[in-house]
Amino acid sequence: MSDTSKWIEKVFDNKNLLIHLTISSVCFLFGILLIISGLVKFFPPINPYGYTVSDVAGNVLLIAGSVLIILSVVIYILGSRRTQETVQQIKGGISYLYLRQYLSSRVDAKFDAANKSNVIPTPKSVANISYLLSESISEIALLRTLSPHLILLLEEESDDRIATEIVEIIGKIKIPNSEKILIDNYKRDYLDLKIACVIALGELGTIKSRRSLEKWLENPYKLDGRLLNAMNVSIKKLVIPYEYFMVLKNQLFDGKIAKNIRESYVQSALIELGTDEAIDVVDAYQLSKAEGLDVGFAYQQIIAKKGR
């Protein structure tokens, strides 16, 4: 059974709403009828056949009717909370179905755009390319309204591609207190989802986000190049410029990190940073390659030559 079918069954199999409203309504209607029957003696025209109700019977009917009406109100009040939960569940189920369809169409559109683009690193890897899809202001506003449903959906989502879309949206609309679920989803073995989690944490910009990113950067040589690049982008948003420079410098000088990653993602980030210190680091790396020097020694030579 698909996830959608399970959700539909879960939503519409809940009979609580119908049961408690039915019982409450029946009690209320019978109560009204009994009260009317008890009042017949006061309104002879109600009974065209001249049927009369004794005083005792009339009082019994009035009491029984009143009790049923009170009982119907009590049943309604006691069940109101559960009724609200049921209604919210139904609304949530409908929102779930629409959201899943929307997210699925986003995945298809993104993969289609990725396959037609020469910019994407790999045709089947589409994380961190938000420029392929742009949301309207009204669409963003609607997604913010549905943010609680997005979080619930992410908790149960088994499709990594759909989960990646949800995480990207969480980052774009900055859903508060979503760090934990992002950190949990980073542990899943799907590169695009990991990248999306890293970018979303950078967008949230909280202390908890920074701590998580710094923890993951303790062993940068274990990271894929695009994942390392995404972490650098997010870290840049959360630290002062000098701290970001030091992060990139340490990565470029770290021989444990693959050479192609250092020369592409890390070196490009330093060049993009564009400060004098960043350019010195890049020059030192290039000098060490050209002359076979230790990169740290080459860096000291450049620093000494410039009198810094």
Side-chain angles (χ1 to χ4, degrees), residues 6-297:
K6 289 179 181 178
W7 186 268
I8 292 175
E9 181 179 346
K10 178 181 177 182
V11 170
F12 293 101
D13 191 48
N14 192 327
K15 303 300 190 301
N16 179 74
L17 177 63
L18 179 62
I19 291 174
H20 109 260
L21 285 180
T22 301
I23 295 175
S24 178
S25 299
V26 169
C27 288
F28 183 80
L29 290 175
F30 269 103
I32 293 295
L33 289 174
L34 290 176
I35 288 177
I36 292 175
S37 299
L39 294 174
V40 166
K41 63 180 179 179
F42 299 108
F43 301 98
I46 294 178
N47 189 342
Y49 301 103
Y51 174 76
T52 58
V53 179
S54 67
D55 291 341
V56 175
N59 292 333
V60 171
L61 291 172
L62 287 173
I63 293 172
S66 300
V67 169
L68 283 175
I69 290 178
I70 293 173
L71 182 61
S72 70
V73 173
V74 170
I75 291 173
Y76 180 81
I77 292 175
L78 293 177
S80 61
R81 182 176 179 181
R82 181 60 179 165
T83 302
Q84 291 171 2
E85 293 175 355
T86 304
V87 172
Q88 289 172 359
Q89 187 182 40
I90 292 174
K91 288 181 178 178
I94 294 172
S95 299
Y96 174 95
L97 297 178
Y98 277 109
L99 268 176
R100 197 126 191 334
Q101 184 178 13
Y102 166 77
L103 293 166
S104 180
S105 65
R106 280 178 63 99
V107 169
D108 293 339
K110 186 175 285 188
F111 270 75
D112 183 59
N115 290 330
K116 296 177 182 177
S117 173
N118 295 322
V119 184
I120 309 307
T122 55
K124 293 185 178 181
S125 189
V126 295
N128 195 16
I129 50 172
S130 56
Y131 56 83
L132 289 177
L133 295 176
S134 58
E135 298 85 359
S136 63
I137 296 176
S138 59
E139 189 174 350
I140 289 293
L142 177 61
L143 288 171
R144 284 199 177 97
T145 303
L146 296 173
S147 59
H149 299 298
L150 282 169
I151 295 295
L152 291 174
L153 179 57
L154 182 57
E155 290 177 349
E156 299 184 2
E157 185 54 60
S158 58
D159 188 328
D160 289 329
R161 300 189 308 167
I162 299 292
T164 300
E165 288 301 312
I166 298 173
V167 169
E168 287 188 358
I169 292 172
I170 288 175
K172 285 184 179 181
I173 64 179
K174 296 180 175 61
I175 298 178
N177 303 316
S178 57
E179 293 91 346
K180 184 180 184 302
I181 195 167
L182 294 176
I183 294 169
D184 290 342
N185 275 271
Y186 176 83
K187 300 173 184 177
R188 290 167 67 167
D189 189 21
Y190 187 67
L191 180 59
D192 286 352
L193 180 56
K194 289 180 179 289
I195 292 174
C197 289
V198 167
I199 295 174
L201 286 170
E203 293 294 335
L204 291 178
T206 62
I207 294 176
K208 190 173 182 179
S209 297
R210 174 176 172 173
R211 287 174 180 169
S212 297
L213 292 171
E214 288 175 340
K215 181 180 179 181
W216 295 333
L217 274 173
E218 289 176 357
N219 299 302
Y221 55 89
K222 294 182 179 180
L223 304 175
D224 173 87
R226 290 195 307 121
L227 182 55
L228 179 61
N229 182 57
M231 285 194 181
N232 285 336
V233 170
S234 291
I235 281 288
K236 183 180 180 181
K237 299 177 181 179
L238 304 177
V239 301
I240 62 176
Y242 180 73
E243 288 179 326
Y244 178 58
F245 159 71
M246 290 302 298
V247 167
L248 294 176
K249 175 187 173 183
N250 293 336
Q251 289 176 4
L252 190 63
F253 288 4
D254 189 348
K256 293 181 180 180
I257 299 178
K259 181 180 178 182
N260 66 314
I261 293 177
R262 284 182 287 157
E263 293 184 356
S264 54
Y265 296 105
V266 181
Q267 192 168 214
S268 297
L270 282 163
I271 294 172
E272 183 181 348
L273 186 59
T275 62
D276 292 340
E277 294 85 356
I279 299 303
D280 287 343
V281 170
V282 173
D283 290 342
Y285 182 75
Q286 294 298 330
L287 179 63
S288 69
K289 285 177 53 183
E291 300 186 7
L293 302 173
D294 175 75
V295 65
F297 179 74

